[in-house]
Amino acid sequence: MTSQAIAFLTALTLMFSSLLPLPAWADYGDKLPLPPAPFKGKIGLTYKESQPDFPKPIKAPENAPNVLLVLLDDVGFGQTSTFGGLIDTPNLDRLAESGLRYNQFHTTAICSATRAALLTGRNHHSVSTGTITELATGYPGYSAILPRSAATIAEVLRDYGHNTAAFGKWHNTPDYETSAAGPFDRWPTGLGFEYFYGFLGGDTNQWSPALVENTQHIQKPSNSPDYHLTPDLADHAIKWIRTQQAIAPEKPFFTYFATGARTIVVCDRVNLAKKEKAHYEAIRFS
């Protein structure tokens, strides 16, 4: 993956909370799901006395921002050079120099719960994700079944005129619902994302991943010995964004990009690990 690709993926990163509360749309209302627009035409005795009023598509406000939310698994402030860490992250550094640094993003210390809280804006227990989906129990707050009363940010933005897509690690579907038979209402495409490319569980082999596209389990796109999931996710995200902007440049997008390589250290690319080895060797022998 080129530095340009990384820069493209990170350059639009925004925390979705900066978009809320969303303004009301004048002909549609401010409650979701949006009710059908009222008929404003005229029905006469004949077509000459009638006036059609075809339903208009929902449009986001003018100049609504594109949003790319990047979530890195098991990476803390103390690891990237952007916040004083030892791992060289020049693209993140460049973003920080031209933008803002936030230093009070709180996690729940586990994967599914943090994701559920981030995507819904609610306490993880209130959306039944007090633990990872694989350890769900039959008690309130721990079933891993996201309630329909809690919409994701993707559902809100989609219903207000954004295109939405998710790439990478999901980990918010009960593990007994992740087979090819579904049900699919708690998969990404059932929770507001119009497109999904990634994996549903907590981790996967980054060289031979258990990939899902929308609601289909698929094979990895390449048998090259150099294949790694992270560049593949980036390529798919870039392609989706470019296609969306080429077809509907006036329509904003919300893209959720969550890599899985840091979930398990052995899933990192060898060349990147070698690159950072000197930093850690210096600490060990200092």
Side-chain angles (χ1 to χ4, degrees):
M1 181 168 56
T2 65
S3 59
Q4 290 87 352
I6 299 174
F8 181 82
L9 279 170
T10 56
L12 299 176
T13 303
L14 296 170
M15 183 58 67
F16 70 79
S17 59
S18 64
L19 295 177
L20 301 176
L22 290 169
W25 270 252
D27 295 329
Y28 298 110
D30 58 0
K31 295 182 179 180
L32 295 177
L34 298 174
F39 177 72
K40 295 182 179 180
K42 178 183 178 183
I43 302 176
L45 293 177
T46 68
Y47 79 92
K48 290 183 178 180
E49 299 172 342
S50 302
Q51 180 65 43
D53 179 35
F54 198 83
K56 298 178 178 61
I58 296 173
K59 291 185 179 181
E62 187 176 356
N63 299 321
N66 297 318
V67 180
L68 175 62
L69 177 60
V70 178
L71 181 63
L72 302 179
D73 225 316
D74 299 330
V75 177
F77 289 122
Q79 292 180 280
T80 66
S81 59
T82 311
F83 290 91
L86 295 172
I87 300 176
D88 187 28
T89 51
N91 292 304
L92 293 179
D93 296 347
R94 187 164 60 252
L95 271 176
E97 290 301 325
S98 61
L100 299 173
R101 286 180 171 89
Y102 294 94
N103 59 10
Q104 293 198 27
F105 175 76
H106 299 282
T107 74
T108 65
I110 51 176
C111 306
S112 302
T114 292
R115 285 165 163 74
L118 178 65
L119 291 175
T120 65
R122 301 178 185 232
N123 178 277
H124 53 298
H125 291 94
S126 69
V127 289
S128 303
T129 316
T131 185
I132 59 175
T133 56
E134 293 84 355
L135 297 180
T137 64
Y139 293 96
Y142 291 89
S143 68
I145 299 174
L146 290 172
R148 295 308 303 168
S149 58
T152 68
I153 185 64
E155 290 177 278
V156 174
L157 292 180
R158 179 201 60 194
D159 288 355
Y160 273 133
H162 286 62
N163 281 134
T164 58
F167 300 88
K169 177 176 173 177
W170 179 244
H171 212 188
N172 280 125
T173 301
D175 60 343
Y176 54 85
E177 294 185 352
T178 59
S179 75
F184 304 110
D185 54 330
R186 280 181 283 273
W187 289 38
T189 52
L191 292 171
F193 290 101
E194 297 167 321
Y195 179 78
F196 173 68
Y197 182 84
F199 59 99
L200 294 175
D203 58 69
T204 191
N205 187 314
Q206 299 294 289
W207 295 276
S208 184
L211 282 173
V212 168
E213 185 171 32
N214 296 322
T215 58
Q216 287 190 316
H217 291 268
I218 62 173
Q219 298 295 319
K220 67 178 183 178
S222 171
N223 289 320
S224 168
D226 295 326
Y227 175 87
H228 190 272
L229 181 57
T230 301
D232 185 24
L233 295 175
D235 290 342
H236 275 78
I238 292 171
K239 179 181 178 182
W240 183 86
I241 291 173
R242 285 177 173 169
T243 301
Q244 188 272 346
Q245 288 291 281
I247 296 173
E250 76 291 344
K251 189 172 185 177
F253 63 79
F254 171 64
T255 302
Y256 173 49
F257 186 84
T259 65
R262 287 298 300 156
T263 304
I264 300 176
V265 177
V266 297
C267 287
D268 283 336
R269 300 177 73 184
V270 174
N271 60 332
L272 295 179
K274 288 181 178 178
K275 177 183 176 183
E276 301 300 332
K277 182 179 180 181
H279 291 296
Y280 294 96
E281 291 292 330
I283 292 179
R284 195 175 77 176
F285 294 110
S286 61

